Amino acid sequence: MGTVAVAADAVNLVRNSSLEEGTVDATCFKRAGWGTEGNWNFVEGRLGGRAVSVTLQGHTAGDRKLIQEESTQCAPAVVPGRGYTIQVWYKSTAPVSLTLFRHTAQGWSYWGDIQQQAPAAGWTLATAPTPTIPDGTDFISFGLSLGIDGTLATDDYSLTEIPAPTQNTSELIINGSLASGTPTPTCFMLAGWGDRQIASSLSNDVPTNSPAGARSFSLNVTAYQSGDVKLIQSDAPGCAPAVTPGEQYDLKVDYKTTAAGPSGLTVFSHTANGWQYWTDLKELPPVSGWTTGQARTPAIPNGVDRISLGVSIAGNGTLSTTNYSLTKYETAGPAPVGGPDAVGSWETLSSQMPVRALHSTLLHDGRLLLIAGSGNDETNFNAGSFRAVVWSPTTNDFKNIPVPYDMFCAGHVTLPDGKVLLAGGTQAFPTANVGPTTFQGSKKSYYFDPADDTFHQLADMAGAHWYPSLTKLGNGDIWSAGGLDEKAQGTVLTEMFDTSAMKWLPQNQVPQTWSFWGTYPHMFLLENGRMFYSGGHTFGNGLPGTGSSIYDWTTAQIWDVPGLRQKDLRDQAGSVFIGPAQDQKLMIVGGGNADGNTPAINLVDIIDLKQPSPHYVPGPDLPGPGKMYVNVLNLPDRTVLAANGAQLNRSGNIQTAAIYTPSTNSWKTVAADPVGRNYHSTSILLPDGRVAVMGSNPLDNSFEARISVYSPPYLFKGPRPAITSAPGQVGYGQNVQIGVTGDVTAASLIPPMSQTHQTDTNARVVDLPLAGTGANRTAQIPSNPNLLPPGPYMLTVLSADGIPSVARWVWVS
């Protein structure tokens, strides 16, 4: 009998999922489609038992598919606001598509085709996440559609809910998700005043990733004359959250409203004299979809022991709220415990950067290219004063490099031959009264050659880009998109740089999504050649939908990835592969919202892109306060360093650091950078295993010139292994001989970092399987160039104690 491949803790919502019940047709399934009729049969199932096949011959129109019967007894029930994983096993002689139908009060309707599947001679799993279930949808039905001549067999259908994240243990609000209590949620009450009519109701319509059992509370206001109304925590014993005078608190409420005017994020306070109105912290704009209203309180006044909060509606319309949250704002993280062998050590160099380095690239000779361009200084721009230097960490020398145009906020990446490609940048600073981030993008492109320390001009890009991302592909070509165009508007143009011809391709030779990816979108190349957009970006809200996606650049197809929490608070987040790149796991760390100056978060979400239906799951919170501008990077011992950052837009520096260990899925607080750093800071892994951290550009537009260098704990644990010999160049799939000293257990390749705005989408640690013992070892180079795009790499070996060697440069081609 067939079995359904779902996780042990997941509930399959499909009845008779392996099609074993029923005689003429499988129970709870029906033959569906239109146009050319199909020939239906039972055939042998995937793991024995039976499957259902359909054959089309002489196809002229329509399609055929096996779907769940559209009835309340058979169709899987779903919850609005949630996401689900679909799985169907199939064999087919022709391409097929994964088709969805949904049920509302108006009946059943076609929802969409969400994924194409290639022909498959053997049993193959078709899997995809559903879009977020829309309001009003209570059932769905799905199947694979055959729309041309051929034969399709299906078996083992599955629909499982994507788990919601667990609640923060520091939460001070009881029943914040409104899961209990009728008709008013437990520990909540209605408050307000004035002349208006009010109707209220509870609903299962909640934002994606709400806790299990969450509900929303709706207030409908009619005949409005004056006043307001809101749902707040009640004055019943133990309900309104207790607070401490002098402390500050972060509050959040998910809301949506049809009222024409703004809503207020309102707070009441309690003293020995009773309850009273305290303040409206923020105006919340009208929004039709679920949005998070968020603010931080002033310091709690003396005598106040409890507060109560809610969202006010002051006009005709409907306001829905849920997921109330109040947490204490911690100004410092946990103190690091132990000596340098546990927490590492920082050094602030005596010499300072002579330029406002916003763009940092490690060159294959161990020096760093530091680019300022105009340095975010309009006076420099108007004077045509554009700067860059090459810094040698070993000698602490800086060499001035002539800069031909304003490379401020360009994109950059190391090419397969070790040159550094620069693309886009600043054509013009904002004109008066148009906003601080309306820079005009540039089309210009150059490469920097470490052999002569000179920028060389290339032909222009197809379009202009200010804040573009550049991601290297497995063939060595460079994908680029994102940023603002020459009109200071978001560009939807995708670009491709042909490294063999050293030129940008014309627009009509590049698959176009015509989608705006944001500014400096965090876009990573995956082992299957597709790309992953983590949801990290700069400036304001995340992209529509779930905020994260998988992207096939060869076909310009995009699929939403569910699970990312607080997608509109991932401005200036950190994104990075965790563990060896072969694991295909990434994390996104922290973030905020510079446009709304919203306090940053310390949430960490992790995704396993090897899963058949990848989705983010909550990881351990970053220790200490939330922060944006967080510098994250891979260390050669397979851990991740997260350092620096700030709570608010270019202000409120948070001087904490932590190291994440993938094997334990945990953070450890380590020594913090003695220099506070936020916007326009960068961090680079050096070949000797240390980390250089540079820059910071706070609101007063000053710039931090000091350089901090971090020595991680592994540099204090004992003698380092060493690489005594290694080839200078290796090819894909080769077994290469390396000489080593010490108790070596692992080897890896790490590309030289090229970072700006806390972003290096090409960073990764690639594991090299190691054989042999003693001084001579055999390392296997991966055969997949998508894991290891061509170019220079730092080869390191790792001892059994987790101590890395100094790196040796190796070229992969």
Side-chain angles (χ1 to χ4, degrees):
M1 179 178 291
T3 58
V4 179
V6 297
D9 57 350
V11 176
N12 186 3
L13 302 176
V14 178
R15 181 181 170 188
N16 189 28
S17 58
S18 56
L19 311 179
E20 302 303 319
E21 301 173 17
T23 53
V24 177
D25 287 307
T27 301
C28 273
F29 280 78
K30 75 170 193 175
R31 308 171 184 182
W34 64 280
T36 303
E37 290 292 342
N39 180 26
W40 295 84
N41 290 289
F42 284 117
V43 296
E44 184 178 353
R46 181 175 69 96
L47 299 173
R50 67 185 189 182
V52 172
S53 75
V54 60
T55 299
L56 290 180
Q57 291 182 323
H59 176 270
T60 58
D63 64 22
R64 294 291 157 182
K65 57 245 176 193
L66 184 72
I67 63 174
Q68 297 80 52
E69 184 180 297
E70 293 168 331
S71 67
T72 57
Q73 294 78 29
C74 292
V78 292
V79 178
R82 300 292 176 87
Y84 294 79
T85 299
I86 291 174
Q87 294 185 347
V88 184
W89 288 88
Y90 79 101
K91 294 192 295 186
S92 180
T93 62
V96 292
S97 58
L98 195 53
T99 304
L100 273 65
F101 299 83
R102 68 187 184 105
H103 180 266
T104 65
Q106 286 73 45
W108 284 94
S109 61
Y110 168 73
W111 191 10
D113 280 19
I114 61 171
Q115 185 163 292
Q116 299 295 313
Q117 299 290 142
W123 285 108
T124 301
L125 181 64
T127 183
T130 68
T132 300
I133 303 299
D135 293 350
T137 299
D138 51 5
F139 297 94
I140 67 171
S141 179
F142 64 90
L144 290 173
S145 300
L146 177 66
I148 61 175
D149 283 352
T151 296
L152 163 69
T154 57
D155 196 3
D156 294 337
Y157 289 62
S158 167
L159 184 75
T160 56
E161 184 177 345
I162 296 172
T166 57
Q167 185 168 328
N168 188 342
T169 56
S170 62
E171 181 58 61
L172 298 176
I173 290 181
I174 296 172
N175 192 33
S177 63
L178 313 183
S180 64
T182 303
T184 303
T186 302
C187 271
F188 280 77
M189 59 181 281
L190 287 182
W193 64 279
D195 183 3
R196 66 277 188 272
Q197 294 183 11
I198 304 166
S200 63
S201 61
L202 284 163
S203 170
N204 291 325
D205 173 20
V206 294
T208 303
N209 297 324
S210 294
R215 301 179 299 176
S216 61
F217 190 84
S218 295
L219 290 165
N220 180 250
V221 175
T222 56
Y224 177 84
Q225 296 295 321
S226 63
D228 66 19
V229 64
K230 53 255 176 187
L231 182 73
I232 63 174
Q233 295 79 56
S234 76
D235 55 5
C239 284
V243 292
T244 303
E247 300 289 351
Q248 290 180 274
Y249 293 81
D250 286 326
L251 57 90
K252 293 185 290 187
V253 183
D254 288 334
Y255 80 100
K256 60 181 178 178
T257 178
T258 62
S263 298
L265 198 50
T266 304
V267 184
F268 297 83
S269 62
H270 181 266
T271 67
N273 298 321
W275 284 95
Q276 62 181 1
Y277 166 77
W278 181 24
T279 184
D280 269 24
L281 289 174
K282 193 174 189 178
E283 282 193 351
L284 302 179
V287 287
S288 58
W290 284 109
T291 302
T292 301
Q294 180 165 332
R296 177 170 297 148
T297 70
I300 301 297
N302 289 333
V304 172
D305 56 3
R306 288 189 289 163
I307 63 174
S308 182
L309 61 99
V311 179
S312 303
I313 178 171
N316 290 327
T318 299
L319 167 71
S320 299
T321 56
T322 189
N323 295 333
Y324 289 69
S325 172
L326 186 74
T327 56
K328 184 180 175 182
Y329 167 52
E330 301 288 353
T331 57
V337 177
D341 61 335
V343 300
S345 176
W346 289 85
E347 175 189 6
T348 303
L349 302 185
S350 57
S351 57
Q352 299 188 1
M353 293 188 301
V355 300
R356 291 183 159 209
L358 312 168
H359 307 273
S360 303
T361 300
L362 177 65
L363 304 175
H364 60 81
D365 56 15
R367 300 178 301 158
L368 273 73
L369 173 65
L370 307 178
I371 299 175
S374 63
N376 198 19
D377 187 326
E378 191 170 8
T379 301
N380 289 340
F381 180 83
N382 293 334
S385 176
F386 310 133
R387 299 197 62 192
V389 297
V390 170
W391 170 50
S392 173
T394 56
T395 63
N396 227 7
D397 293 329
F398 295 91
K399 178 180 180 181
N400 283 308
I401 306 296
V403 178
Y405 80 104
D406 194 2
M407 296 177 179
F408 168 53
C409 293
H412 37 89
V413 65
T414 301
L415 293 171
D417 62 1
K419 299 181 178 73
V420 181
L421 175 66
L422 280 299
T426 302
Q427 176 176 286
F429 271 64
T431 54
N433 303 318
V434 296
T437 58
T438 50
F439 285 76
Q440 295 176 21
S442 171
K443 292 184 176 182
K444 292 184 182 298
S445 183
Y446 280 70
Y447 70 86
F448 177 82
D449 190 346
D452 60 13
D453 286 346
T454 302
F455 289 104
H456 300 263
Q457 188 169 12
L458 296 165
D460 288 352
M461 305 175 81
H465 297 264
W466 184 81
Y467 276 61
S469 288
L470 274 63
T471 301
K472 193 191 305 186
L473 303 177
N475 62 2
D477 290 347
I478 309 299
W479 172 95
S480 180
L484 305 184
D485 63 16
E486 70 280 1
K487 298 179 180 178
Q489 298 173 348
T491 177
V492 297
L493 185 64
T494 302
E495 308 260 12
M496 190 69 66
F497 184 77
D498 183 336
T499 57
S500 60
M502 290 294 283
K503 68 177 184 179
W504 293 95
L505 297 180
Q507 173 185 311
N508 61 3
Q509 294 183 24
V510 182
Q512 298 292 333
T513 65
W514 305 118
S515 299
F516 178 51
W517 284 108
T519 47
Y520 281 137
H522 297 195
M523 187 73 75
F524 295 83
L525 178 67
L526 303 180
E527 64 178 357
N528 61 8
R530 292 180 175 177
M531 305 177 85
F532 174 64
Y533 170 61
S534 75
H537 61 284
T538 59
F539 301 131
N541 291 344
L543 297 184
T546 64
S548 177
S549 53
I550 290 174
Y551 160 48
D552 187 339
W553 64 270
T554 64
T555 61
Q557 289 178 288
I558 303 171
W559 299 273
D560 269 3
V561 170
L564 178 64
R565 297 176 291 172
Q566 295 289 324
K567 77 175 184 66
D568 291 334
L569 291 176
R570 298 299 186 166
D571 178 351
Q572 310 278 357
S575 303
V576 67
F577 277 105
I578 56 176
Q582 286 91 335
D583 291 350
Q584 294 289 279
K585 291 183 177 180
L586 284 100
M587 66 161 49
I588 184 169
V589 180
N593 191 306
D595 289 353
N597 203 20
T598 303
I601 59 177
N602 67 349
L603 297 182
V604 174
D605 289 319
I606 295 174
I607 188 166
D608 182 351
L609 289 150
K610 280 185 173 291
Q611 293 298 311
S613 183
H615 56 274
Y616 271 115
V617 298
D621 291 349
L622 187 66
K627 54 185 178 179
M628 55 202 299
Y629 314 114
V630 56
N631 283 299
V632 296
L633 52 76
N634 300 107
L635 296 175
D637 64 350
R638 275 70 162 176
T639 61
V640 172
L641 172 67
N644 312 106
Q647 266 282 303
L648 296 167
N649 178 31
R650 301 173 71 177
S651 64
N653 288 348
I654 300 295
Q655 288 173 253
T656 61
I659 289 178
Y660 173 81
T661 301
S663 60
T664 59
N665 189 31
S666 62
W667 292 97
K668 177 180 174 57
T669 298
V670 297
D673 188 344
V675 179
R677 302 181 189 275
N678 54 63
Y679 187 51
H680 285 152
S681 63
T682 59
S683 61
I684 299 289
L685 175 69
L686 301 177
D688 63 8
R690 298 180 300 159
V691 177
V693 186
M694 298 153 286
S696 186
N697 191 192
L699 271 175
D700 62 7
N701 208 27
S702 61
F703 201 87
E704 177 59 68
R706 289 174 291 177
I707 300 173
S708 298
V709 177
Y710 179 60
S711 296
Y714 51 62
L715 295 181
F716 302 93
K717 291 183 180 294
R720 302 180 72 172
I723 302 172
T724 58
S725 63
Q729 187 162 341
V730 299
Y732 294 107
Q734 281 187 349
N735 290 328
V736 298
Q737 303 302 309
I738 60 175
V740 300
T741 63
D743 183 15
V744 170
T745 60
S748 63
L749 291 173
I750 302 176
M753 294 186 66
S754 185
Q755 194 194 66
T756 187
H757 293 73
Q758 292 73 50
T759 308
D760 180 0
T761 63
N762 299 286
R764 58 187 63 203
V765 175
V766 182
D767 187 54
L768 302 184
L770 204 60
T773 58
N776 298 305
R777 305 297 179 89
T778 300
Q780 184 178 10
I781 308 301
S783 59
N784 183 355
N786 294 322
L787 276 176
L788 198 68
Y793 284 83
M794 293 184 287
L795 170 66
T796 62
V797 294
L798 197 66
S799 75
D801 295 326
I803 304 172
S805 67
V806 173
R808 179 179 288 232
W809 289 99
V810 172
W811 291 77
V812 177
S813 61

